């Protein structure tokens, strides 16, 4: 009976769902782009995009749009939301430009920025609080720790990605919060996958395994929600979920049951036999293997289990970016489509079959003299990023410090104009007058010619962090040092975290590169060409030696409390035996009366006693 | 209570109380010295323990070995091929090897000038980025191309390369690992650490092209021995007597001694039976090294920047091979990798007397403080005394009266100008030797020292003659000179004791005769004896004596001191020339002094 019902239910459901799914097939896309990078790394970009019309959204009619998130957005009046979970470092020197031009990544930890509908700043703050707390529960991240000291309102750095009708612009508030110390891990991945229509059960999301994702050299999970208004048609609310990760091929290929990199047996070592001293027991390693063979199941630990039935059939689910000359093996039934540019190819997957892909090592790599060159031939050449940025602390000691950012423009003929944004904790008090930009190799300060605009919102102790936005430019083929000094505050001893001596994380600086001036009129409306984040920093503040004075404080307090308590008791209280004292259990008027009576009696008795004694 | 107060007041007037301080001073010194010798006993020292629980030393399996030995042999061949090459060629080769491993390489030039010599070279270093890290923290592995004795660190550099390749395979690092190869053991690491913290003089030392996060610890490998070794020697003395956190030493001892089963030695005590004499010897060696404040290895330069560091040296003939040494480093790095916070336990002030026994600052500090206090006690006593008329002058006048009615020593006015001027002058004069010995070129250091030593012997006589001739100081003024000089000495030494205990104790003991020096106008024998004694404990004489004892050349010692001053800011010369020497000078002049009677002085003034 039950089986029958469930069958009935299922068939009913499929009747209801199926035609609609077919009609709305373009509402959900997913795609995985794999790109081998130099130094035996592999970039895997997962992209999931779905949308719902604004009217359906407002009518609480969610389809591909995750309901849990949609309700939060509606409750907090959020127009546009960007959430980032990142870990590791992007090695721009060898991997080149960032995926998505840096638009889908954040600094280490968690980053959140959103445009909220609110009449006043206070209302915006209130809604922001609601939003962070709700998201914190949804994503199992400490987003609720984004309080006023970690929230800023960027003026120049962020532009809305979606289309907002002009009427609401004045009531839209941009708030930006960042948690650099948050460790991103599997508990953040699970809710992320739950937002997908296929929940990681089918399609490319089956490859997402916490073990592999968090063993990546760099990874970034992003959620972007924005209203999109196409020129023809209804406005839609689009949610785009992106996971980018760079896997170390050698490390990923290690079997899961034996993750320890034990030294291989001597005969398995790949040696450089050309060395004169080469012998059985002497081996100059040549096994740093660029372009080694890999397959999906080796790298991700599993194969792709079919396609998600809800996805748009016109978008190929897997793409691989390698030169056309390289051969790739794929499982039966899949179709390869080479793109016209010669640097990428995409695969159509059968809906129910498992998909496996093997990229064999290029055959002539071993013979070529120059290993690095051979490696580059067999890869799509990484694009040079528009700007390299590196930030570090200068100085030492517990009182003052400095921050130095080295910005290098690799382009020989193009000037780069960008906005450099720092949101610093309040206990780093920067000296704005020390902010200075100079070009390497040139003496003197070129502050005025390099720094064009500074927006500075000073910190308020324990209430608000420092916000610094600098619009500046780097001339072609030059390196600019941007430096400023700061003073470290002394915290109250209750304000230190349990791991006080670790230091305090300082969030990554956000660098937003603007498109060149000729295309757009005003500086505020200029589109973003590229975004990058520096690494986060660890700022050590003067920390009391909690282990010793702390013990002393606790010990003396305890001793004083004990001694004082005892002394005070002896001085103030009168000690009587239990049967002599007033009965505590009596309550109300009767009790009080009895009490008074007892006292009177006691008074008489004692007088009598006293008289007796004198006699 | 009132009885107690009146008793104290009566005691204050008691003339015997002014006789007490010299005995008190002697007692302080004696107790201080005896205290020191009690420390190695079981009752006063403690067993070491790991205070930072996150370290968990020796709790992990180490896998370095197997075919890594083949790789090590190959790298050893590569290093051997570089033996007679220049610094640049060595770094070129190292760079190509390390780049082949997929690490980022940086190089840094440095040039130091000291005592007319030029110390220059090029550091090469590579950064292994923590696979999932974010460049906030880093640990350093150092192998100097040449160790402190100038021997080639072949195995050390080859081991560093092998470990770099091995560490690259692990994905568990939470901190970046920096592999640093420096041409020498002192100047190179110093230049690198200075530049890492942007504390360098950019005229002498280049900035670093690559940087990582805050340094959390450093291990240096000094592995020159070619044959198999038995034990490892942990060198931990930092610049200016600063020490790394004891937890780091304990971790290395625990990993090498406990996990690897090799012996661990400290302070060049190759055999240690853990009995009183050996413990005392270890402690005294440690104190001497600490007191001198010299850098003892590549790790020393890290310690002033609050980066805990030690050097590990294999020694002895045994059966441990390079892989065992590599596993010690691996184990220590795994421990450091566990650290959640910077090592911060109050474990920076200690004296080790065996690898597993130490005394903490609370136990040993009174020793140096007592020695320093003896000067202060005497200085205060002299100040009080100088405010009263000398007893022999008044004794006749008050013989008939009782002490209670009239104080035996009526108060007199103090002539402060001459004593203050003299002591200040001595202090300022001390800049001369400090400047001379730190800036003279090496060739004239020995003759300069000879000349200075001779002049130094004559100087008190000249000054004393000058003083008696032109100022005819009274006994009171001599007392005040002593008082001020001792006050300064006591003050300097007690504050120094908290920074560098051993140096404070050393200087305190060598200057202790100064407490008891006074003019001997009536007794030329005593005067000569005191002057001879003082000359024997003069800074110059002590330097000559110690050079003779350790069979070193004076020139070499002074060159080292100048190098230390110029390169890593060792402050021991300041203590010797600006604390010890002026006190000695003031003491010597007092001994040779011929105080004029107060009356004669007054007469002279009246006429």
């Amino acid at each position: 009976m039950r089986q029958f019902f469930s069958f009935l239910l299922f068939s009913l459901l499929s009747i209801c769902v199926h035609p609609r799914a077919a009609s709305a097939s373009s509402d959900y896309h997913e795609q995985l782009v794999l790109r081998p990078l130099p130094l035996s790394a592999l970039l895997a970009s997962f992209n999931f995009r779905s949308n719902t019309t604004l009217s359906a959204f407002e009518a609480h009619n969610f389809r591909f749009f995750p309901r849990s998130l949609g309700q939060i957005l509606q409750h907090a009046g959020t127009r546009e939301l960007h959430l980032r979970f990142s870990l590791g470092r992007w090695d721009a020197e060898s991997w080149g430009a960032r995926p998505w031009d840096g638009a889908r990544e954040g600094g280490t930890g968690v980053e959140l920025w959103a445009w909220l509908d609110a009449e006043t700043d206070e209302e915006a703050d209130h809604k922001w609080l609601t939003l962070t707390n709700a998201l914190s529960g949804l994503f199992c991240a400490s987003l609720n720790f984004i309080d006023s000291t970690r929230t800023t309102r960027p003026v120049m750095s962020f532009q809305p990605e979606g289309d907002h009708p002009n009427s609401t612009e004045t009531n839209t508030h941009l708030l930006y919060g960042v948690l650099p110390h948050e460790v991103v891990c599997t508990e953040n991945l699970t809710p992320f996958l739950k937002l997908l229509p296929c929940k990681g059960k089918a399609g490319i999301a089956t490859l997402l395994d916490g073990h592999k994702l968090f063993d990546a050299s760099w990874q970034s999970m992003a959620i972007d929600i924005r209203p999109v208004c196409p020129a023809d048609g209804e406005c839609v609310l689009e949610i785009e979920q992106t996971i980018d990760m760079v896997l170390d091929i050698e490390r990923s290929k290690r079997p899961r049951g034996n993750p320890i990199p034990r030294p291989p047996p001597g005969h398995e070592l790949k040696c450089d036999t050309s060395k004169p001293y080469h012998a059985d027991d002497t081996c100059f390693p040549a096994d740093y293997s660029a372009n080694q063979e890999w397959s999906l199941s080796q790298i991700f630990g599993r194969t792709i289990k079919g396609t998600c039935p809800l996805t748009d059939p016109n978008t190929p689910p897997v793409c691989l970016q390698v030169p056309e000359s390289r051969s790739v093996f794929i499982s039966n039934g899949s179709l390869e489509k080479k793109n016209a540019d010669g640097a990428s190819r995409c695969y159509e997957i059968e809906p129910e079959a498992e998909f496996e892909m093997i990229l064999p090592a290029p055959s002539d790599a071993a013979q070529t003299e120059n290993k690095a060159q051979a490696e580059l031939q067999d890869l799509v050449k990484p694009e040079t990023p528009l700007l390299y940025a590196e930030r570090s602390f200068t100085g030492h000691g517990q009182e003052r410090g400095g921050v130095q950012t080295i910005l290098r423009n690799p382009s020989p003929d193009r000037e780069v104009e960008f906005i450099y944004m720092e949101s610093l904790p309040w206990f780093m008090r920067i000296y704005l007058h020390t902010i200075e930009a100079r070009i390497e190799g040139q003496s003197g300060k070129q502050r005025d010619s390099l720094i064009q605009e500074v927006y500075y919102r000073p910190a308020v102790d324990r209430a608000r962090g420092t916000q610094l936005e600098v619009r500046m430019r780097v001339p072609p083929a030059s390196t600019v040092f941007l430096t400023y000094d700061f003073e470290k505050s002394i915290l109250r001893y209750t304000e230190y975290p349990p791991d006080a001596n670790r230091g305090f994380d300082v969030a990554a600086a956000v660098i937003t590169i603007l498109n060149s001036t000729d295309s757009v009129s005003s500086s505020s409306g200029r589109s973003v060409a590229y975004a990058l984040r520096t690494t986060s920093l660890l700022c050590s503040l003067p920390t009391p030696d909690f282990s010793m004075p702390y013990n002393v404080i606790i010990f003396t307090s305890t001793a004083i409390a004990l001694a004082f308590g005892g002394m005070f008791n002896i001085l103030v209280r009168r000690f009587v035996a239990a049967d002599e004292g007033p009965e505590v259990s009596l309550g109300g008027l009767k009790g009080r009366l009895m009490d008074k009576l007892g006292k009177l009696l006691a008074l008489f008795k004692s007088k009598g006693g006293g008289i007796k004694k004198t006699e | 209570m009132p009885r107690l107060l009146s008793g104290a007041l009566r005691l204050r007037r008691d003339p015997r109380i002014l006789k007490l301080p010299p005995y008190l001073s002697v007692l302080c010194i004696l107790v201080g010295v005896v205290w020191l010798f009690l420390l190695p006993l079981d009752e006063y020292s403690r067993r070491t323990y790991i205070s930072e629980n996150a370290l968990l030393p020796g709790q992990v399996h180490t896998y370095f070995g197997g075919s890594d030995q083949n790789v090590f042999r190959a790298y050893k061949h590569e290093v051997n091929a570089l033996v007679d090459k220049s610094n640049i060629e060595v770094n070129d080769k190292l760079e190509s090897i390390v780049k082949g491993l997929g690490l980022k390489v940086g190089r840094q030039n440095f040039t130091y000038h000291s005592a007319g010599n030029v110390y220059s070279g090029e550091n090469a270093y590579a950064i292994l980025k923590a696979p999932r890290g974010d460049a906030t923290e880093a640990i350093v592995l150092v192998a100097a191309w040449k160790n402190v004795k100038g021997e080639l660190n072949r195995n050390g550099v080859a081991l560093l390369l092998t470990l770099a390749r091995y560490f690259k395979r692990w994905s568990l690092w939470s901190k970046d690992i920096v592999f640093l190869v420096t041409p020498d053991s002192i100047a190179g690491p110093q230049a690198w650490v200075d530049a890492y913290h942007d504390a360098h003089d950019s005229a002498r030392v280049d900035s670093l092209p690559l940087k990582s996060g805050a340094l959390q610890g450093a291990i240096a490998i000094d592995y020159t021995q070619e044959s198999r070794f038995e034990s490892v020697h942990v060198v931990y003395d930092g610049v200016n007597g600063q020490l790394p956190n004891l937890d780091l030493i304990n971790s290395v001892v625990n990993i090498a001694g406990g996990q690897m089963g090799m012996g661990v030695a400290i302070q060049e005590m190759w055999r240690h039976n853990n009995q009183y004499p050996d413990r005392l010897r270890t402690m005294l060696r440690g104190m001497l090294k600490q007191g001198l404040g010299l850098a003892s290895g590549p790790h020393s330069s890290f310690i002033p920047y609050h980066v805990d560091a030690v050097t590990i040296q294999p020694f002895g003939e045994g059966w441990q091979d390079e892989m065992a040494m590599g596993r010690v480093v691996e184990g220590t790095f795994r421990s450091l990798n566990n650290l959640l916070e910077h090592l911060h336990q109050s474990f920076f002030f200690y004296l080790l007397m065996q690898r597993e026994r130490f005394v903490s600052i609370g136990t040993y500090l009174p020793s140096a403080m007592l020695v320093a206090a003896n000067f202060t006690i005497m200085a205060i006593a002299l100040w009080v005394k100088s405010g009263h008329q000398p007893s022999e002058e008044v004794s006749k006048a008050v013989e008939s009266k009782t002490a209670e009615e009239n104080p035996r020593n009526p108060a007199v006015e103090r002539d402060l100008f001459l004593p203050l001027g003299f002591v200040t002058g001595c202090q300022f004069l001390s800049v001369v030797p400090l400047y001379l010995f730190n800036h003279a070129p090496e060739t004239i250091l020995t003759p300069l020292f000879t000349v200075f030593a001779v002049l130094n012997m004559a100087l008190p006589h000249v000054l004393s003659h000058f003083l008696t001739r032109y100022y005819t100081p009274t006994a009171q003024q001599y007392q005040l000179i002593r008082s001020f000089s001792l006050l300064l000495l006591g003050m300097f030494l007690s504050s120094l004791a908290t920074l560098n205990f051993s140096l404070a104790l050393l200087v305190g003991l060598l200057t202790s005769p100064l407490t008891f020096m006074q003019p001997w106008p009536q007794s030329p024998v005593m005067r000569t004896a005191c002057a001879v004694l003082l000359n024997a404990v003069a800074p110059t004489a002590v330097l000559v004596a110690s050079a003779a004892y350790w069979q070193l050349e004076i020139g070499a010692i002074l060159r080292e001191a100048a190098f230390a001053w110029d390169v890593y800011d060792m402050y021991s010369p300041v203590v010797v020339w600006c604390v010890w020497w002026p006190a000695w000078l003031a003491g010597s002049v007092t001994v040779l002094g011929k105080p004029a009677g107060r009356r004669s002085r007054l007469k002279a003034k009246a006429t």
Side-chain angles (χ1 to χ4, degrees), chain A residues 103-159:
Chain A
R104 297 281 173 271
E105 65 175 87
T108 306
V110 181
E111 231 179 276
L112 171 72
W113 68 100
W115 278 266
L116 303 173
D117 263 343
E119 296 294 324
T120 57
D121 280 357
E122 286 73 39
E123 196 191 341
D125 283 337
H126 186 72
K127 284 187 166 174
W128 175 251
L129 195 70
T130 317
L131 179 70
T132 51
N133 279 289
L135 288 177
S136 160
L138 187 61
F139 288 103
C140 299
S142 322
L143 282 162
N144 52 328
F145 283 98
I146 300 184
D147 52 6
S148 64
T149 61
R150 292 168 206 260
T151 304
T152 53
R153 291 160 188 266
V155 174
M156 299 189 280
S157 288
F158 294 99
Q159 308 293 336

Side-chain angles (χ1 to χ4, degrees), chain A residues 87-89 91 93-94 108 214-217 248 251 254 260-266 269 275 277 280-285 287-288 390 392-396 498-502 505 535-538 545 547-548, chain B residues 63-71 73-75 77-78 93 97 100-102 104 129-137 165-166 168-171 176 197-199 209-211 214 216 305 340-342 344-346:
Chain A
L87 197 65
R89 269 168 288 179
D91 181 2
E93 298 277 338
S94 33
T108 306
F214 297 105
D215 192 30
S217 303
D248 186 302
R251 213 163 58 217
R254 220 168 275 148
I260 295 166
R262 290 190 177 83
L269 271 183
K275 295 277 176 190
Y277 50 75
D280 279 348
D281 64 343
T282 311
C283 171
F284 187 84
D287 65 352
Y288 171 63
E390 199 181 317
S392 60
F393 275 131
T394 59
H396 62 101
D499 52 351
N501 282 282
R502 180 179 180 271
D505 290 86
T535 52
S536 53
L537 294 171
L538 201 60
D545 182 356
S547 60
M548 203 171 41
Chain B
Y63 295 93
F64 186 66
S67 64
D68 285 323
Q69 181 123 35
N70 301 0
V71 178
R73 288 198 193 98
Y75 286 147
H77 280 288
E78 294 289 337
K93 183 68 197 170
I97 293 178
L101 300 174
K104 298 249 179 295
K129 290 186 173 176
R132 287 166 287 172
D134 54 353
T136 49
E137 295 166 301
R165 182 174 170 281
Y166 173 75
K168 178 80 169 67
R169 299 210 295 263
W170 286 92
S171 57
D176 287 3
H197 295 94
D198 285 280
L210 279 178
K211 266 206 219 173
Q216 303 286 322
Y305 289 100
L340 299 174
E341 305 176 54
H342 207 99
H344 60 276
Q345 267 75 11
S346 341

